[in-house]
Amino acid sequence: MTASTEWRLAPLVSQATFRTLLDTLARPGTIARIPEPFGSTIPAVLCLPLALSDLGIPIAVVGDPDRWAADVARATGATVTAPAQAWAAAVVAGFEPALIEQFDPGSALEPERGARLAVLVSELGSGPLSLSLSGPGVPGRRHLRLGGVTPEALRTLRSRNASFPAGLDVWFVTEDGRVAALSRTTELEVIEVDPWGM
């Protein structure tokens, strides 16, 4: 998909995207679909910085072959920065422990500093990893399967979210616009590693 400078969202699209992101964060592990044009004319993983960023908000796009960060900044007025300073980020590639450690989880006194990440994944609802989720917004336990993320990355995320209210909120997004979230309050366990994705 070619980068574009025409990614300023129409108000109704922005509102619908915000509602979808908020709803999936409130119900961790549930899969929803973000509205058009994400996944068609705009890369779906950019839903988070495009819908939530505003003038001067620090954003990062990691694994950015088409200069998507600059296009998001032009569309929103956000400021492109390194992951360590980002309030919102899209991770196109490289969601690994070393990168996760760079994002600011905030603190007990300033939890609002905790970064919000949209991470491109290859599969949602199927895939080689099965997660068992519990915590606020999860009645009992919920299971989420996904592909394109390593167990080590998820364990690092769990570690980064061990000091609530500090932590990272993460949305997993597929190229076709499906999305599921893990809030910083979500307890997660990698319960299965299936190399065949069965």
Side-chain angles (χ1 to χ4, degrees):
M1 191 174 292
T2 304
S4 168
T5 57
E6 302 301 321
W7 287 349
R8 185 171 287 108
L9 299 181
L12 290 179
V13 172
S14 182
Q15 291 168 11
T17 303
F18 176 80
R19 284 196 301 269
T20 301
L21 294 173
L22 197 62
D23 184 58
T24 52
L25 191 67
R27 299 186 299 130
T30 60
I31 299 173
R33 186 173 294 274
I34 48 179
E36 295 287 352
F38 292 108
S40 53
T41 59
I42 299 175
V45 73
L46 299 181
C47 62
L48 181 75
L50 282 171
L52 300 187
S53 297
D54 205 341
L55 188 65
I57 293 292
I59 64 160
V61 179
V62 180
D64 182 18
D66 294 318
R67 297 185 55 79
W68 289 347
D71 287 322
V72 172
R74 279 191 288 270
T76 63
T79 301
V80 179
T81 188
Q85 286 78 48
W87 181 85
V91 181
V92 182
F95 189 66
E96 298 293 342
L99 174 65
I100 297 165
E101 292 283 359
Q102 293 180 47
F103 289 108
D104 185 1
S107 67
L109 294 179
E110 296 180 291
E112 69 278 2
R113 287 203 335 260
R116 296 136 182 91
L117 316 177
V119 178
L120 183 64
V121 296
S122 57
E123 299 173 83
L124 272 178
S126 61
L129 291 186
S130 180
L131 306 182
S132 176
L133 309 177
S134 60
V138 180
R141 284 199 168 270
R142 182 174 287 139
H143 296 279
L144 175 67
R145 294 189 71 101
L146 72 164
V149 179
T150 67
E152 294 77 18
L154 292 166
R155 292 184 185 113
T156 301
L157 176 63
R158 181 175 60 194
S159 175
R160 295 292 274 169
N161 286 348
S163 299
F164 181 80
L168 309 173
D169 296 317
V170 177
W171 287 262
F172 297 115
V173 186
T174 61
E175 286 189 353
D176 66 357
R178 286 172 296 133
V179 59
L182 299 180
S183 79
R184 64 187 67 187
T185 62
T186 304
E187 295 288 337
L188 70 93
E189 180 185 358
V190 180
I191 60 172
E192 180 179 340
V193 179
D194 178 2
W196 305 106
M198 301 297 288

